[in-house]
Amino acid sequence: MNILVFVKQVADSEAKIIIKADNKSLEIENKYTLNFFDEFAIEEAIKIKEKFKDSQITVCTYGSKRSIEALRTAIAMGADRAFLIDNAQHPYENSIVVAAILASFAKKEGFDIILCGRQAMDDENAHLGSMIAEFLSIPHISAILKLEIIDGKKARVENEIERGRATIEVALPTLFTTQKGLNEPRVPLITGVMKAMKVNIPVIDPFTLGILKEDLNSYSKKIKLLSYELPANRPPVKIIEGETPEEKVNNLIKILKDEAKAL
Amino acid sequence: MTKDIYVFIETKDQNVRKASLELLSKGKEIAEKLSSQLYAVLIGHNVSGLIEELKPFSDKIIVAEAEILEHFRWDTYGEVLEKLLKKYSPYLFFGASTTTGKDLFPRLSARLKSHIISDAVDIQIDGAEIKVKKPIFGGKVLSWLSYDDDRTLFITFRPNSFAVIKGSYQAEIFIENIEITRDERMNVLSIDKGGSKKVDLQEADFIICGGRGMKGPEHFQILEEIADIMNGRVGASRAVVDSKWREYDDQIGKSGKTISPKLYIGCGVSGALHHTMGMDTSKIIVVINKDQNAPIFQYADYGIVDDLFTILPILKEKLKQAKNET
Ligand SMILES: Cc1cc2nc3c(=O)[nH]c(=O)nc-3n(C[C@H](O)[C@H](O)[C@H](O)COP(=O)(O)OP(=O)(O)OC[C@H]3O[C@@H](n4cnc5c(N)ncnc54)[C@H](O)[C@@H]3O)c2cc1C
Ligand SMILES: Nc1ncnc2c1ncn2[C@@H]1O[C@H](COP(=O)(O)O)[C@@H](O)[C@H]1O
């Protein structure tokens, strides 16, 4: 099996984020990590490889030099090789542009299985999986909970649908997006970490992938950032007092009715 | 190009989903400001019974019915919408940021090479310009975005972002007969709709959430009873889901669902950032925790410092009374 996993490096949820004085840029504390949902994608790729021994797992990201760290994490877990598509010269930030670039990488190599996380923790878009699949004219299955490869040609998957689950059989190549519940991502072994430190990660210029500058330009800058703001602060909590638990609950109900109008 | 707004209608158990009615309500407000028309797009099998319910909310209703559309699939629904959007090219196309919306909208936007903003929580008109509000980084920051292009903009909104306001319009009906084919590569073998859960977590007006302080799966029964009284849903922290006391479907937080109910009650939840990111947009937040220093109190409107096992049975009775009085 030729397996491709798209991963993204994102700010850790503990990282401090400050809105700069212009209200149009952010200062993000230097704490980055592999996107939470992408760990399930890498783990699933490794599981497939454990079953189909002659598989190869490729990981790829479109990002800055810093995001090589996320690729190394993937190698440490068990991926075979990694590519960084450099965004330094063309830091277009909208989903169609990124999807077009990632799809052209996938097209060049050709893959049986493509895995993405369900969504990125920074932009929270949940766009790229199905967009890449559309650009490749292959099916996608979102938010999978179980994946089984049958005779190397098709997959039987269970995925989350509205209020339930579906079981689907799909011909390969297909793109799957992963989420919690699919597997338990492994913690890299020290040997994996050593390997990841040494591995050579090629850096690719996106325009060597056969994408046209005009195409990207026509997609870019249509959505503009006007400003950032902080969420409104809630007033300090009111602790509901009372001599007995009954009294506390009575007081709570009263407040919910009269003051909060929530009942 | 027109400034018309289209809303993709989702249905549930032969009803229009509340999230879709919210979008129609907000869509009408925006359409009026743009002096344009609001269209409801109703797709499915045996859905014409819902037309009456939709009529007061919009100017026009486009209906596409076929047996092949009985269950949602991105390929069949996508084909219908692709053809409609190419034919009418509206200015904005609204959907809900639900499991269905997340599966369908990005794929369709890529097909039409149109832009998309997902998981938004507000939209406003400023002069002739639209402004869309979208939380990022788990709600730590809110971004305001504008749009300037002649292609349709796709926007999905979080359920519970807008009030449902029923108008008194008499929408005009357009029936579309569209030829649809399935993507043969994809074969749905079975569908399991989970059964009993009444309200969707993201659409519920009332959520009572249990954390590790609930001590075990058996104690969630009382939360279920309270949720029933309030016509809401039980949610859970990740610690609870990881312990297999509840299913992942119930998880609230950064790696679970983002919710904005009218009332959230947290019981034995400590208030880790990963959890509060999923619930801090709730309108009213009440917490019950025996540790007065638990961080969750910093996110709450009202708090009770006490043992939840003493409080919950009383709360259940009092809520029942309060409900019976109204
Ligand atoms: C990448 C990542 C993603 C995550 N995503 C999520 C997510 O989506 N959602 C989520 O919830 N968490 C998430 N977490 C986990 C999160 O960090 C916390 O570990 C988790 O939310 C804690 O759950 P809890 O509040 O139920 O348990 P605890 O932190 O153990 O809190 C239990 C609380 O119950 C109180 N308590 C105990 N007994 C009683 C009693 N008898 N009466 C009253 N109060 C009592 C205690 O005082 C305590 O405050 C994530 C973590 C990571 C690293
Ligand atoms: N810059 C990127 N490079 C590679 N993969 C990405 C990138 N951004 C997002 N992805 C993948 O697409 C998924 C969904 O991201 P998003 O659409 O941004 O929420 C992520 O979980 C990753 O698997």
Side-chain angles (χ1 to χ4, degrees):
Chain A
M1 300 272 98
N2 204 358
I3 309 163
L4 172 60
V5 187
F6 283 121
V7 300
K8 188 179 191 187
Q9 189 189 45
V10 296
D12 191 281
S13 44
E14 309 289 342
K16 276 203 189 64
I17 299 175
I18 296 165
I19 300 174
K20 291 196 194 161
D22 64 356
N23 284 335
K24 287 193 172 207
S25 45
L26 299 175
E27 194 180 308
I28 299 171
E29 188 187 359
N30 193 12
K31 276 190 189 166
Y32 288 87
T33 165
L34 173 65
N35 183 39
F36 177 74
F37 291 107
D38 302 358
E39 291 181 16
F40 302 101
I42 299 165
E43 177 63 34
E44 200 58 26
I46 299 168
K47 284 210 156 139
I48 297 169
K49 186 172 171 170
E50 283 168 353
K51 254 190 155 169
F52 298 86
K53 299 275 187 256
D54 61 345
S55 299
Q56 186 185 43
I57 304 170
T58 306
V59 285
C60 173
T61 192
Y62 176 68
S64 69
K65 290 266 158 57
R66 193 196 51 227
S67 48
I68 281 190
E69 292 160 26
L71 296 174
R72 289 200 199 279
T73 307
I75 299 264
M77 284 174 74
D80 297 302
R81 52 183 203 145
F83 294 90
L84 170 70
I85 307 175
D86 191 3
N87 73 351
Q89 289 176 57
H90 327 278
Y92 297 121
E93 272 306 327
N94 75 63
S95 301
I96 297 190
V97 169
V98 181
I101 290 171
L102 295 178
S104 42
F105 175 84
K107 195 177 269 166
K108 217 170 167 196
E109 294 256 343
F111 292 93
D112 305 305
I113 295 168
I114 305 180
L115 295 156
C116 282
R118 187 187 80 182
Q119 77 181 48
M121 289 298 203
D122 48 4
D123 57 41
E124 298 181 54
N125 278 334
H127 286 165
L128 282 172
S130 62
M131 284 185 153
I132 294 168
E134 174 66 28
F135 281 136
L136 293 171
S137 307
I138 61 172
H140 78 266
I141 315 267
S142 302
I144 62 168
L145 293 159
K146 198 171 168 195
L147 175 63
E148 190 192 339
I149 307 297
I150 303 166
D151 67 32
K153 290 207 177 61
K154 56 185 183 195
R156 181 174 293 207
V157 277
E158 288 180 26
N159 79 327
E160 182 189 328
I161 56 166
E162 216 64 68
R163 283 175 302 282
R165 273 184 189 221
T167 306
I168 302 171
E169 218 166 68
V170 65
L172 300 179
T174 287
L175 187 150
F176 304 94
T177 76
T178 59
Q179 66 171 330
K180 192 173 157 207
L182 175 64
N183 55 40
E184 295 291 336
R186 66 196 63 195
V187 177
L189 298 174
I190 190 74
T191 47
V193 176
M194 302 285 278
K195 182 185 165 206
M197 268 162 31
K198 280 186 245 142
V199 78
N200 172 42
I201 298 182
V203 179
I204 303 174
D205 174 347
F207 292 107
T208 61
L209 296 170
I211 315 162
L212 300 175
K213 259 201 174 99
E214 304 81 78
D215 269 3
L216 290 199
N217 283 337
S218 84
Y219 302 146
S220 75
K221 302 208 174 71
K222 307 295 187 202
I223 294 178
K224 285 208 190 83
L225 176 84
L226 297 169
S227 61
Y228 289 119
E229 67 184 42
L230 290 174
N233 267 337
R234 236 169 247 276
V237 60
K238 273 193 194 163
I239 299 294
I240 310 289
E241 306 291 351
E243 293 292 314
T244 60
E246 275 84 6
E247 215 178 298
K248 289 182 189 175
V249 175
N250 276 335
N251 290 340
L252 174 69
I253 299 275
K254 206 162 169 301
I255 283 193
L256 287 180
K257 255 191 180 159
D258 302 342
E259 184 181 293
K261 311 260 181 256
L263 288 182
Chain B
M1 191 177 71
T2 70
K3 290 275 173 187
D4 292 343
I5 299 176
Y6 280 48
V7 175
F8 171 63
I9 303 297
E10 285 190 48
T11 61
K12 178 193 172 186
D13 308 334
Q14 311 299 321
N15 288 302
V16 176
R17 272 183 91 158
K18 184 177 144 230
S20 301
L21 295 178
E22 286 178 27
L23 297 180
L24 288 171
S25 309
K26 190 67 186 181
K28 191 67 201 157
E29 177 196 321
I30 303 293
E32 268 166 15
K33 289 192 178 144
L34 293 169
S35 313
S36 63
Q37 302 269 300
L38 180 73
Y39 287 69
V41 182
L42 181 62
I43 296 178
H45 178 49
N46 286 334
V47 287
S48 46
L50 302 176
I51 291 175
E52 283 309 311
E53 190 182 346
L54 290 172
K55 263 188 178 169
F57 285 92
S58 66
D59 300 304
K60 313 243 156 92
I61 302 173
I62 298 178
V63 186
E65 274 193 300
E67 205 177 327
I68 198 172
L69 298 171
E70 174 163 7
H71 295 291
F72 165 76
R73 288 172 53 131
W74 59 259
D75 55 338
T76 51
Y77 277 56
E79 190 175 356
V80 175
L81 292 170
E82 177 190 355
K83 289 179 175 158
L84 287 177
L85 293 172
K86 281 184 174 156
K87 181 167 163 190
Y88 295 100
S89 46
Y91 175 47
L92 302 173
F93 186 45
F94 288 1
S97 175
T98 52
T99 309
T100 300
K102 283 182 182 163
D103 193 38
L104 175 66
F105 270 58
R107 178 120 200 172
L108 200 55
S109 97
R111 186 167 301 173
L112 296 172
K113 305 267 189 324
S114 279
H115 283 298
I116 173 164
I117 299 174
S118 287
D119 219 23
V121 295
D122 199 3
I123 176 165
Q124 293 178 6
I125 299 286
D126 186 0
E129 190 180 61
I130 59 157
K131 289 169 55 175
V132 180
K133 186 180 183 181
K134 171 183 163 62
I136 51 174
F137 296 104
K140 276 196 211 170
V141 177
L142 302 167
S143 58
W144 280 102
L145 306 166
S146 70
Y147 181 65
D148 177 22
D149 197 17
D150 46 16
R151 284 170 285 201
T152 303
L153 174 65
F154 291 69
I155 314 178
T156 66
F157 291 95
R158 255 182 220 172
N160 275 344
S161 292
F162 308 116
V164 173
I165 301 161
K166 188 172 170 179
S168 48
Y169 311 98
Q170 272 297 324
E172 208 181 320
I173 316 296
F174 297 84
I175 308 285
E176 292 276 350
N177 289 305
I178 296 172
E179 197 152 319
I180 312 148
T181 47
R182 268 196 194 116
D183 188 326
E184 293 299 336
R185 294 169 293 186
M186 220 167 57
N187 185 13
V188 178
L189 301 178
S190 64
I191 285 179
D192 170 11
K193 285 267 180 184
S196 66
K197 291 203 179 116
K198 289 149 211 143
V199 201
D200 235 68
L201 196 59
Q202 284 181 293
E203 271 175 309
D205 281 333
F206 174 88
I207 289 175
I208 187 156
C209 175
R212 191 154 32 201
M214 293 298 297
K215 301 280 191 292
E218 65 281 11
H219 300 302
F220 277 77
Q221 180 54 31
I222 188 155
L223 300 188
E224 286 291 355
E225 288 162 15
I226 293 173
D228 277 349
I229 293 167
M230 300 297 292
N231 199 11
R233 256 293 290 270
V234 175
S237 71
R238 172 161 160 198
V240 163
V241 173
D242 283 353
S243 311
K244 310 249 182 283
W245 299 350
R246 301 291 294 186
E247 294 200 5
Y248 175 56
D249 188 43
D250 289 351
Q251 187 179 316
I252 295 165
K254 182 150 192 171
S255 55
K257 298 242 161 46
T258 305
I259 53 151
S260 322
K262 291 205 178 95
L263 178 58
Y264 164 102
I265 303 183
C267 310
V269 178
S270 65
L273 195 60
H274 296 108
H275 183 76
T276 58
M277 279 176 166
M279 50 63 84
D280 64 359
T281 50
S282 305
K283 272 89 196 168
I284 299 289
I285 297 177
V286 176
V287 300
I288 305 165
N289 197 307
K290 66 178 179 189
D291 172 10
Q292 60 176 10
N293 295 319
I296 191 83
F297 286 110
Q298 291 164 29
Y299 298 88
D301 297 293
Y302 307 106
I304 290 186
V305 183
D306 212 324
D307 188 326
L308 63 88
F309 294 103
T310 355
I311 297 294
L312 285 176
I314 309 170
L315 184 66
K316 183 185 130 190
E317 288 315 313
K318 301 287 172 189
L319 283 174
K320 204 191 248 166
Q321 273 176 25
K323 271 280 151 184
N324 286 340
E325 283 163 19
T326 51

